Amino acid sequence: MRIKSLQSKIFFLVVFLFTSVSILNFYSIINAAGKQAESLIEARLNVGKKVLIDQFQVDQTNFDSNVATIAQDWGFRQALGQQADQASIINIMQNHMQRISGDFAFVTDLQDNIVASTLDTDPKVIKMLQQSVLNMDSQVSSLALIDNKPFYVSSEIVKAPIKIGHIFVGKALTSNFFTRLNEQIDLGISLVKLDHKGNEGLLSSTPELIDESSTNQVKPSSPFAFIKSSSDLTQMVEWYGHTYIAVSFPINTYDAHSDQSQLIMVLHDSYSDAMSVFKLFWVDIL
């Protein structure tokens, strides 16, 4: 009896040790897989960031070229040089904006006074926007926030042949840009405004993040509440019960209504989805 009892104890001990080692190995593999998934996602985010910055630069360069073409238009230069009435100058600018899909334009004289504008807003806002655009050191793109909407902005000197003024043109940054980039890099893309009153999502390839942010701007549970402008470092964030890895970087921007806000781009990919595939693989084995 004692021998059988000892054999049973040895058997259960061996089984216990084998099970413990198997469990430890399993969790070690899970941990290693998690680190591997995190590294792969970070690599994808870095590549996506470069693609996004390049695309911003291409769009800005093309827009700058279009605005330069307007500034060189003979009819526009003649109207401005001969001090035509506002309606005539606005009509010329609107015709050009239709061609380049612009959303607003205004022109100033040599004393930086506003001669004509298609932008229906407070003249003080236009004046502040003018000064900001002229002082921008564009590293990625020149974006301006007007009524919480982002716009590409470009300016060009108007000559006939001497300098007679300055034209400023804005083009809305829309969700089409994010849809196009999302299809190209297969990553979530969001445009976020960092503000002392609370972060706010403005545009995103994941619409539910914007819907949640717009109704919950200042609460800690807001999707972008803890997003920071990190440039190089990634962040782990929890959205709707899923873990995401995100990287953010600032956009050269100006808010026409606040000097305490910053616009950043956020790229994000699901860490939970990456791990769920691996876990399902092991469940099938076990």
Side-chain angles (χ1 to χ4, degrees), residues 45-63:
L45 290 174
N46 286 330
V47 172
K49 176 182 173 182
K50 293 177 181 178
V51 173
L52 182 59
I53 291 175
D54 287 345
Q55 189 59 59
F56 258 122
Q57 291 175 333
V58 168
D59 286 0
Q60 184 70 56
T61 299
N62 290 339
F63 187 53

Side-chain angles (χ1 to χ4, degrees), residues 3 8 35 38 42 46 65 98 112 114 118 148 155 170 175 187 205 218 244 253 266:
I3 294 176
S8 297
K35 292 181 179 179
E38 188 173 346
E42 288 179 353
N46 286 330
S65 177
Q98 289 179 359
D112 293 332
I114 299 172
T118 67
N148 235 26
S155 62
S175 58
L187 293 169
S205 60
V218 298
Y244 289 82
T253 185
V266 181

Side-chain angles (χ1 to χ4, degrees), residues 80 108-113 115 157-158 162-166:
L80 184 61
T108 61
D109 59 20
L110 295 178
Q111 287 73 43
D112 293 332
N113 298 312
V115 175
I157 296 173
V158 183
I162 62 173
K163 180 179 177 180
I164 58 174
H166 222 122

Side-chain angles (χ1 to χ4, degrees), residues 2-262:
R2 291 182 179 178
I3 294 176
K4 290 184 177 180
S5 177
L6 180 60
Q7 289 176 338
S8 297
K9 290 180 179 179
I10 293 173
F11 173 77
F12 284 117
L13 179 60
V14 171
V15 172
F16 173 76
L17 290 174
F18 177 78
T19 303
S20 298
V21 171
S22 298
I23 292 174
L24 287 173
N25 285 337
F26 175 74
Y27 280 104
S28 296
I29 293 172
I30 289 291
N31 185 53
K35 292 181 179 179
Q36 179 68 13
E38 188 173 346
S39 297
L40 291 174
I41 290 175
E42 288 179 353
R44 280 167 40 79
L45 290 174
N46 286 330
V47 172
K49 176 182 173 182
K50 293 177 181 178
V51 173
L52 182 59
I53 291 175
D54 287 345
Q55 189 59 59
F56 258 122
Q57 291 175 333
V58 168
D59 286 0
Q60 184 70 56
T61 299
N62 290 339
F63 187 53
D64 290 342
S65 177
N66 288 333
V67 174
T69 300
I70 297 176
Q72 296 168 6
D73 177 70
W74 184 84
F76 174 68
R77 290 186 296 159
Q78 183 184 46
L80 184 61
Q82 294 180 354
Q83 298 181 342
D85 60 275
Q86 283 191 359
S88 298
I89 297 176
I90 288 176
N91 183 61
I92 294 173
M93 290 193 298
Q94 287 176 332
N95 289 335
H96 282 294
M97 284 193 298
Q98 289 179 359
R99 180 178 56 81
I100 67 172
S101 300
D103 290 279
F104 70 81
F106 62 91
V107 62
T108 61
D109 59 20
L110 295 178
Q111 287 73 43
D112 293 332
N113 298 312
I114 299 172
V115 175
S117 173
T118 67
L119 185 59
D120 185 18
T121 190
D122 189 333
K124 292 181 180 179
V125 172
I126 299 178
K127 194 70 176 179
M128 293 171 65
L129 177 61
Q130 171 195 355
Q131 295 301 321
S132 177
V133 172
L134 291 176
N135 294 329
M136 273 186 178
D137 179 17
S138 183
Q139 299 174 354
V140 177
S141 66
S142 297
L143 290 181
L145 278 180
I146 302 176
D147 295 328
N148 235 26
K149 297 179 180 179
F151 293 85
Y152 288 107
V153 180
S154 184
S155 62
E156 191 71 29
I157 296 173
V158 183
K159 298 180 179 180
I162 62 173
K163 180 179 177 180
I164 58 174
H166 222 122
I167 184 172
F168 301 79
V169 185
K171 179 179 179 180
L173 178 66
T174 68
S175 58
N176 292 336
F177 176 86
F178 295 83
T179 301
R180 174 161 47 96
L181 263 294
N182 176 256
E183 294 174 351
Q184 184 176 348
I185 62 179
D186 194 26
L187 293 169
I189 311 169
S190 299
L191 182 67
V192 179
K193 184 176 77 170
L194 303 186
D195 193 273
H196 68 289
K197 296 180 180 179
N199 299 344
E200 180 181 359
L202 302 178
L203 292 169
S204 179
S205 60
T206 309
E208 55 265 29
L209 292 179
I210 301 302
D211 295 338
E212 178 69 17
S213 179
S214 62
T215 59
N216 197 17
Q217 294 179 21
V218 298
K219 297 180 181 179
S221 57
S222 175
F224 302 107
F226 301 106
I227 290 292
K228 299 178 180 179
S229 179
S230 58
S231 293
D232 298 320
L233 301 177
T234 57
Q235 299 173 253
M236 283 276 194
V237 292
E238 296 288 334
W239 290 331
Y240 309 111
H242 286 74
T243 302
Y244 289 82
I245 298 178
V247 66
S248 58
F249 57 94
I251 296 293
N252 189 22
T253 185
Y254 169 72
D255 189 340
H257 303 277
S258 173
D259 58 358
Q260 297 182 348
S261 63
Q262 180 186 22

